[in-house]
Amino acid sequence: GPEGWICQKYSRSTLCQAHELATAQHIPTSQLPAVTNVNGVVMAAGSILYSLEGQAMVLPLENKMKHPKDMDGFNGVLSTGVSLVTLIYAACGFYGYITYGDQVQGSVTLNLSDTPLNFSVKCMLLCVVYSSFLIQQYPIVEMLWPMAKRPLRARNTKRAYITAFEYLFRFSIVFVALGLAWLIPNLDQIIPLVGVTAGMLLALVLPAVLEVVVFIEEWRANFTTL
């Protein structure tokens, strides 16, 4: 399926990139600072949270899985996938830093030369971004389109018009994303910003708040029976 093709291309490009960084000439770690300053730590934390932005896809994917229980557990889909992604990102980040030092850019692929291997890596990453963009938009459409469609159904709008409005709605989301990418091309600043805002909300704040809202009555009942 398309998901398998995307994963295959992403795996190949990531392995090629990791091999290129691991075999390149490295700067001795003694010449590189382990920690820069408070600003650098905050930027790094935002980048790490941004790199795990896929948590927005967890619930939609679990709801669509044939066996949702396979998502949980020590060796479930979620823990296995996040562990592998974390190891790959950590390796690319470490080797990218000791390879390019302070000259490393917002995306390490921007530091790669235009050799045939590196060019193929960039092409594969381009295909992955192009193909996975629709998957990333899936939660947004699933959350917003039902609310946008409700007034149309209340007016007994024809199905053909509703379908046309849905395509227009999807196109508008794509154009908004493209507009933001065009207006804010500096990745090393926008990535930490998204990480410390949306990433922190999705990963740390909203799960705890939603759990309290959903289970507070049950907790109160259990507490009163003690």
Side-chain angles (χ1 to χ4, degrees):
E3 296 85 357
W5 182 86
I6 294 173
C7 293
Q8 183 181 15
K9 293 297 183 182
Y10 180 77
S11 301
R12 289 181 179 179
S13 61
T14 305
L15 290 176
C16 291
Q17 180 179 339
H19 177 268
E20 179 73 13
L21 295 175
T23 56
Q25 185 177 1
H26 298 150
I27 303 173
T29 54
S30 58
Q31 300 179 9
L32 297 172
V35 180
T36 54
N37 49 37
V38 176
N39 185 36
V41 172
V42 173
M43 296 281 283
S47 300
I48 293 172
L49 287 172
Y50 178 87
S51 65
L52 299 176
E53 279 294 299
Q55 68 258 30
M57 293 290 297
V58 172
L59 291 179
L61 288 177
E62 184 177 4
N63 292 333
K64 296 296 183 180
M65 288 178 63
K66 186 176 182 180
H67 303 288
K69 292 184 178 180
D70 293 340
M71 179 69 74
D72 304 327
F74 178 76
N75 59 344
V77 175
L78 180 61
S79 57
T80 303
V82 172
S83 299
L84 291 176
V85 169
T86 302
L87 291 175
I88 293 173
Y89 283 177
C92 290
F94 174 76
Y95 284 110
Y97 184 52
I98 65 175
T99 301
Y100 301 108
D102 294 336
Q103 302 300 320
V104 65
Q105 300 189 38
S107 176
V108 72
T109 54
L110 298 176
N111 290 98
L112 298 178
S113 60
D114 291 330
T115 60
L117 178 61
N118 292 337
F119 183 75
S120 64
V121 170
K122 295 178 182 179
C123 290
M124 284 188 287
L125 287 175
L126 177 63
C127 293
V128 169
V129 173
Y130 177 80
S131 304
S132 62
F133 182 79
L134 298 178
I135 300 177
Q136 296 294 330
Q137 299 303 312
Y138 172 76
I140 300 176
V141 175
E142 284 292 308
M143 290 186 297
L144 298 181
W145 173 241
M147 293 186 293
K149 183 173 60 175
R150 197 172 299 132
L152 298 177
R153 286 190 170 180
R155 298 178 182 179
N156 296 324
T157 307
K158 294 182 179 180
R159 181 180 295 272
Y161 291 150
I162 294 179
T163 303
F165 278 117
E166 181 178 0
Y167 284 122
L168 181 62
F169 178 77
R170 293 174 182 268
F171 283 139
S172 63
I173 293 178
V174 174
F175 283 126
V176 169
L178 292 177
L180 291 175
W182 180 70
L183 292 173
I184 314 173
N186 199 348
L187 291 176
D188 57 351
Q189 293 182 2
I190 190 62
I191 286 178
L193 176 62
V194 176
V196 298
T197 53
M200 185 174 295
L201 286 174
L202 290 174
L204 304 177
V205 178
L206 289 181
V209 172
L210 292 176
E211 184 174 4
V212 171
V213 171
V214 173
F215 295 105
I216 187 170
E217 296 298 332
E218 181 180 347
W219 294 342
R220 286 178 178 176
N222 294 335
F223 181 77
T224 55
T225 56
L226 295 178

